[in-house]
Amino acid sequence: MKNQKRRDPIKVMLIWTIVLAVLAAGALLLGNVIRDYRTNLLANMQEEVKEINTQRDQEYAKAMAEFEASTQSGANLAWPAPNAEGWDVVDLTTYPLESPSMITLNRADIMNNGMLLVNQWHSRPDDFSEEALVSIGNHSSGDIPVKNYNLQLFPVAIDALKEALADAKAAGHENYMVDEAYRSWETQNTLFNKYMEQYSSRYSGNELIERTKRDVNYPGTSEFNSGLAFTLRLYKSGDSAVNSSTYVETEAGKWMNENCWRYGLVFRFPKADYPVKGTQDKSYKTGVAVSLDCYRYVGKAHAAVMHHLDLCLEEYVEYLQEHPHIAVFEDGTLRYEIVRRYVGDEVNPVEVEINTKAGTYVSNLDNMGAVVTVFEY
């Protein structure tokens, strides 16, 4: 029998050691590859999730912005949509106030807030009070030049004019002066009688009164009896060119007539081509056919509607009678909500319906048996 060759155990062990080492190295390398692959896969998944979340956040922000825009800073989504640009008046006559509540106000507190209609057909109310009238010069601390310090208005009108004159000055326009303001019933009566005497040799009775009314309003029916109206002209001490200028033809006059509505003031008696060429004749509505540089305080909300719908005060009151609930938008954003509620003449106290969701509100008597309330947003 041949002898079998015996394997060297050391050599065998060395071989297995090398094999195991190679396998271990391969396993480690494979583990690193797998780990790197999983790390890269996880990173890619995280990046994908991040991109998805970012996109969703952007879509959510866009949706919220669109929703907030659609609510129009308090506008009801059920309302008719306004124009996206410029000023727009939306009729809400068939829509109730969103969050109504009734409050009680005294007539005296809302008599002189701007909407009191006074003209030859509507005398100022019998309970009209002069108590709140103040000197224009004193109340404005001299910031409003006046013909004399006896000229008076209600504070709301003075404050509006003061704001307008400050902006006019910033725009380079100065030398405005209040030439005429409030007239008492007694003053108006004296003026009326003076004019009546001029025609007394040719007219008598009702004919004399009617002829006189062409030149001057009957006592209590003049806009100057409201305490909210005044006339402007230009005046500069020692400057005859300024003092003799035709107000509406000056740059200062043009600026005021273009911008007064922004401060709650309106040009009271527009007539054909006056104060500017192209002006529609409103004398058949106002009852005043003479050229008067007369302004009237009505409040910013009402002035905005009157300006953009080209309405005089008489037309605006009629408009509110036909559209007793309107919303006023600027560039698609709700600015004002206006409600007219009939309460009857000389009722005191007055019940007023308000919208509790509104920021602020102010109520006005219109001298047509109603209260007009403006909600500001």
Side-chain angles (χ1 to χ4, degrees), residues 3 41 60 70 101 117 168 184 245 259 273 290 306:
N3 293 330
L41 181 61
Y60 176 77
S70 69
S101 178
L117 178 65
S184 66
S245 63
N259 294 281
D273 293 327
V290 296
M306 292 171 65

Side-chain angles (χ1 to χ4, degrees), residues 174-281:
E174 297 186 86
N175 303 318
Y176 298 94
M177 185 179 78
V178 176
D179 197 40
E180 191 169 5
Y182 176 72
R183 293 180 196 157
S184 66
W185 190 96
E186 291 76 15
T187 299
Q188 188 72 26
N189 188 53
T190 299
L191 183 63
F192 190 85
N193 288 335
K194 178 181 178 181
Y195 273 80
M196 194 160 59
E197 287 177 5
Q198 298 177 9
Y199 301 111
S200 60
S201 61
R202 287 177 288 168
Y203 302 92
S204 61
N206 288 334
E207 289 186 353
L208 175 58
I209 293 175
E210 291 303 316
R211 178 61 189 86
T212 305
K213 286 167 65 175
R214 297 182 196 176
D215 296 328
V216 61
N217 290 97
Y218 197 76
T221 67
S222 169
E223 183 63 271
F224 294 108
N225 296 150
S226 71
L228 298 166
F230 55 91
T231 60
L232 289 177
R233 69 181 178 96
L234 299 186
Y235 176 80
K236 184 177 181 181
S237 180
D239 194 327
S240 59
V242 171
N243 300 340
S244 62
S245 63
T246 301
Y247 173 79
V248 294
E249 296 177 359
T250 65
E251 292 303 312
K254 292 176 183 177
W255 186 93
M256 185 61 68
N257 290 328
E258 290 174 0
N259 294 281
C260 63
W261 66 273
R262 304 180 188 277
Y263 309 94
L265 303 170
V266 294
F267 189 87
R268 183 63 179 95
F269 302 119
K271 48 179 287 192
D273 293 327
Y274 195 87
V276 296
K277 188 174 180 58
T279 299
Q280 292 186 3
D281 184 27

Side-chain angles (χ1 to χ4, degrees), residues 225-360:
N225 296 150
S226 71
L228 298 166
F230 55 91
T231 60
L232 289 177
R233 69 181 178 96
L234 299 186
Y235 176 80
K236 184 177 181 181
S237 180
D239 194 327
S240 59
V242 171
N243 300 340
S244 62
S245 63
T246 301
Y247 173 79
V248 294
E249 296 177 359
T250 65
E251 292 303 312
K254 292 176 183 177
W255 186 93
M256 185 61 68
N257 290 328
E258 290 174 0
N259 294 281
C260 63
W261 66 273
R262 304 180 188 277
Y263 309 94
L265 303 170
V266 294
F267 189 87
R268 183 63 179 95
F269 302 119
K271 48 179 287 192
D273 293 327
Y274 195 87
V276 296
K277 188 174 180 58
T279 299
Q280 292 186 3
D281 184 27
K282 306 286 187 179
S283 61
Y284 70 101
K285 281 291 186 181
T286 64
V288 176
V290 296
S291 300
L292 284 177
D293 297 318
C294 177
Y295 299 88
R296 158 69 189 257
Y297 175 81
V298 295
K300 291 182 179 180
H302 302 305
V305 178
M306 292 171 65
H307 175 76
H308 292 284
L309 296 185
D310 192 21
L311 303 175
C312 66
L313 183 56
E314 286 78 5
E315 291 174 319
Y316 181 52
V317 172
E318 291 176 357
Y319 179 83
L320 290 179
Q321 288 176 320
E322 298 175 1
H323 309 85
H325 186 191
I326 60 176
V328 184
F329 293 83
E330 181 185 11
D331 295 330
T333 299
L334 180 64
R335 294 301 184 198
Y336 309 106
E337 188 177 0
I338 302 174
V339 177
R340 182 180 189 270
R341 182 173 185 270
Y342 185 79
V343 296
D345 294 318
E346 300 182 5
V347 174
N348 191 42
V350 178
E351 285 193 342
V352 178
E353 186 177 36
I354 65 168
N355 185 353
T356 58
K357 293 182 66 175
T360 60

Side-chain angles (χ1 to χ4, degrees), residues 24-53:
L28 179 62
L29 180 62
L30 181 60
N32 290 336
V33 171
I34 294 174
R35 185 178 66 252
D36 291 344
Y37 171 77
R38 292 182 63 184
T39 299
N40 292 334
L41 181 61
L42 180 60
N44 290 335
M45 291 177 64
Q46 290 175 335
E47 187 64 29
E48 184 178 355
V49 170
K50 183 178 180 181
E51 290 179 1
I52 292 174
N53 287 337

